[in-house]
Amino acid sequence: MTGELSTQAWIGIDEETERLYQVALTVRGPLEVAALASAGGVSEDAARAAVERLRELGFLTSYGVLAPSTALRALHHRRVAERQTELAELETAAGVLDDLASGFVTAAPEVLAAHGIELVRGVEEVGRRASALISSARTELMVLNAPPYAQNALPPYDETPKGPPAAESETGLAVLRGVQVRNVMAPEGLDLPGRMASVSELADLGMGVRVRADVPTKLMIADRATAMLPPSAVADPLESALIIHDGLLANALVPLFEATWETALPLAAVRGNPDGSTDPVDPPSAEERALLTLLASGLKDEVIARQLDVHVHTARRRISALLAKLGASTRFQAGVQAGRRGWLE
């Protein structure tokens, strides 16, 4: 499914650097740029750039190449620390924005206009302006899709069409014309009847979708220039909204979106149930955790089978099932996905 976070994107490397890391694991003795370039079939400049990036990320140290399990655990710990800082900043930003937005509700229209802000009232007008904002996007559309959700009428900032295929919705058309659309949804939004199917269709078209348990507000930003959000935390988002053109306030909203996006899980991290509801991927059993550790250590199937005291065919079946559970196509990707979820602890 397109629009999801790739293994390379999460680590912060490109495909060639990942491949050279795999090559580096097989090089005996001190790792030299010339030896890596020769073994990897690339130029020394490319190998040097890869080595620098891998050292920066902690996959290479002065002592040599770290095993995937060790490197991924260390990277996971660093990312957790970064996310904790981002979460604190996110909570602070959300509180400040609520205070700012609430202050505009009682302001006179001329005062709002002077700040590049419009207060829109009424269900039909709010919906019309939300549709217009989506249609106006030319390069980028950022969406935070927070509760409450209406069952019979779609709330603003919602990309799910009422009847036509998702590709024919305003958001689907935006994706098809080349707009980079990223959408962070609360789990409740995916539980509505038919919602998961529509969101999955949009994701297949190219929309980035992530899920976060606590989305701070409804928000939509087009081309980092115009934003739409509820006027306060307690306001009905169907009844009123702020349209913001002011650069300073819009610049505060973009970091709010980015922090929420970075702390959300890709859509692949949840799975659809027959009744249309969603649950997080089940945590690993003790057997799966042991298998993950062996996989992350780079051991061959035969060695893994001996460690688990099973036949090699049984070990391979378990490996295949684990990769499917993580939505990974390679063992390295499985290690990354497990690291992101804290399963390598």
Side-chain angles (χ1 to χ4, degrees):
M1 184 176 294
T2 59
E4 295 171 359
L5 188 66
S6 68
T7 300
Q8 292 87 8
W10 181 80
I11 298 175
I13 60 175
D14 56 29
E15 186 175 350
E16 183 175 77
T17 302
E18 180 186 341
R19 184 177 64 81
L20 289 175
Y21 169 65
Q22 301 275 18
V23 172
L25 290 170
T26 67
V27 175
R28 297 185 178 277
L31 182 65
E32 298 180 354
V33 170
L36 181 60
S38 176
V42 299
S43 67
E44 290 195 11
D45 285 343
R48 187 174 294 106
V51 166
E52 290 176 358
R53 182 58 179 154
L54 290 169
R55 281 177 177 162
E56 180 183 341
L57 291 169
F59 284 79
L60 299 181
T61 70
S62 57
Y63 301 102
V65 185
L66 291 184
S69 57
T70 303
L72 287 170
R73 273 196 293 266
L75 182 59
H76 171 67
H77 289 315
R78 289 198 301 274
R79 295 287 167 83
V80 167
E82 292 169 0
R83 295 300 175 264
Q84 288 173 339
T85 301
E86 289 173 350
L87 284 171
E89 294 173 349
L90 179 62
E91 295 301 326
T92 300
V96 171
L97 288 170
D98 280 342
D99 292 340
L100 284 171
S102 297
F104 287 126
V105 175
T106 57
E110 59 271 18
V111 174
L112 293 175
H115 288 82
I117 297 170
E118 301 173 65
L119 178 59
V120 180
R121 297 186 185 276
V123 175
E124 290 186 4
E125 184 62 14
V126 168
R128 186 185 71 80
R129 295 299 297 272
S131 297
L133 187 58
I134 296 172
S135 299
S136 73
R138 292 293 173 263
T139 60
E140 185 178 25
L141 186 66
M142 305 173 180
V143 181
L144 297 183
N145 215 323
Y149 300 105
Q151 293 291 341
N152 298 322
L154 293 176
Y157 334 112
D158 195 299
E159 75 296 326
T160 307
K162 292 181 180 179
E168 298 177 15
S169 67
E170 286 149 350
T171 301
L173 294 173
V175 173
L176 291 174
R177 68 173 180 267
V179 178
Q180 180 193 28
V181 181
R182 289 183 289 164
N183 191 326
V184 182
M185 304 190 69
E188 301 97 303
L190 294 173
D191 284 342
L192 297 178
R195 189 62 55 89
M196 175 62 87
S198 295
V199 171
S200 296
E201 185 179 343
L202 286 165
D204 287 336
L205 290 176
M207 181 176 76
V209 185
R210 294 191 184 180
V211 181
R212 191 175 187 273
D214 183 18
V215 181
T217 183
K218 287 185 182 295
L219 174 66
M220 188 158 58
I221 307 173
D223 299 330
R224 303 192 176 221
T226 305
M228 184 174 184
L229 75 161
S232 72
V234 297
D236 185 346
L238 291 171
E239 293 287 349
S240 59
L242 292 175
I243 309 294
I244 301 173
H245 306 283
D246 179 78
L248 291 177
L249 193 51
N251 288 341
L253 293 170
V254 169
L256 175 65
F257 172 84
E258 295 290 2
T260 308
W261 175 262
E262 287 300 321
T263 53
L265 286 173
L267 185 62
V270 296
R271 66 170 184 266
N273 294 324
D275 61 359
S277 63
T278 57
D279 291 322
V281 174
D282 294 333
S285 63
E287 179 183 273
E288 289 174 327
R289 194 179 293 275
L291 180 55
L292 274 170
T293 301
L294 295 172
L295 283 175
S297 300
L299 300 178
K300 294 183 178 180
D301 292 352
E302 292 77 10
V303 178
I304 291 175
R306 287 198 296 272
Q307 292 289 332
L308 298 177
D309 194 25
V310 298
H311 193 277
V312 66
H313 295 310
T314 301
R316 286 170 180 161
R317 283 197 301 272
R318 292 180 183 178
I319 292 169
S320 296
L322 187 56
L323 263 62
K325 179 175 182 176
L326 287 164
S329 58
T330 68
R331 298 179 184 199
F332 188 72
Q333 289 177 357
V336 171
Q337 293 292 343
R340 294 191 74 243
R341 294 178 171 87
W343 290 1
L344 292 177
E345 297 298 332

